[in-house]
Amino acid sequence: MSNPQQLRYSKEHEWLSAVEDGVATIGITEYAANALGDVVYAQLPEAGETVTAGETCGELESTKSVSDLYSPITGEVVAANQDVVDDPSLVNSAPFEGGWLFKVRVAEEPDDLLSADEYTAFSGN
């Protein structure tokens, strides 16, 4: 399992892209997707909602369990991935590509986000 170097990671197993035009894309890591098992339902924050770093903003339900979704940054949601709502298995099959979850106009980025190598060491994979 390889964590893309260009992304940053939270200790709650979310990733976020580099901020472009003030907006970052957020998803869960391959490690988290594998731990969840087959994702069958995704409840994502909607455009216009405010999310806060470290707080829950949705949930993912799998065949194994229900897991809260945490935002790694603070800001306003500008888009949710309707493809994942329609086909939650994208979280498992393409966690770093088509399985992204939502996009946020960044108001504040925490200092404790991890690099790919730091996240790999943290998660043990």
Side-chain angles (χ1 to χ4, degrees):
M1 187 174 331
S2 177
N3 297 303
Q5 291 292 319
Q6 74 276 17
L7 302 177
R8 306 224 348 247
Y9 301 85
S10 75
K11 290 185 177 179
E12 287 79 26
H13 307 288
E14 283 84 24
W15 60 261
L16 72 147
S17 68
V19 176
E20 291 183 32
D21 296 326
V23 175
T25 302
I26 292 145
I28 68 166
T29 64
E30 186 175 5
Y31 173 83
N34 288 340
L36 273 172
D38 295 333
V39 177
V40 296
Y41 174 77
Q43 186 264 313
L44 305 177
E46 296 180 9
E49 290 183 26
T50 299
V51 293
T52 303
E55 293 189 8
T56 60
C57 61
E59 69 180 29
L60 297 174
E61 183 178 328
S62 72
T63 55
K64 292 182 183 179
S65 67
V66 175
S67 179
D68 285 333
L69 179 61
Y70 295 89
S71 179
I73 56 174
T74 298
E76 180 183 344
V77 176
V78 296
N81 189 347
Q82 188 61 44
D83 291 343
V84 165
V85 173
D86 294 342
D87 181 6
S89 70
L90 287 171
V91 171
N92 299 103
S93 64
F96 296 115
E97 295 90 27
W100 63 272
L101 301 177
F102 58 99
K103 295 182 182 217
V104 173
R105 182 164 311 285
V106 179
E108 183 179 337
E109 197 171 322
D111 296 333
D112 62 349
L113 294 173
L114 307 173
S115 69
D117 292 338
E118 290 168 332
Y119 179 74
T120 299
F122 169 76
S123 63
N125 67 70

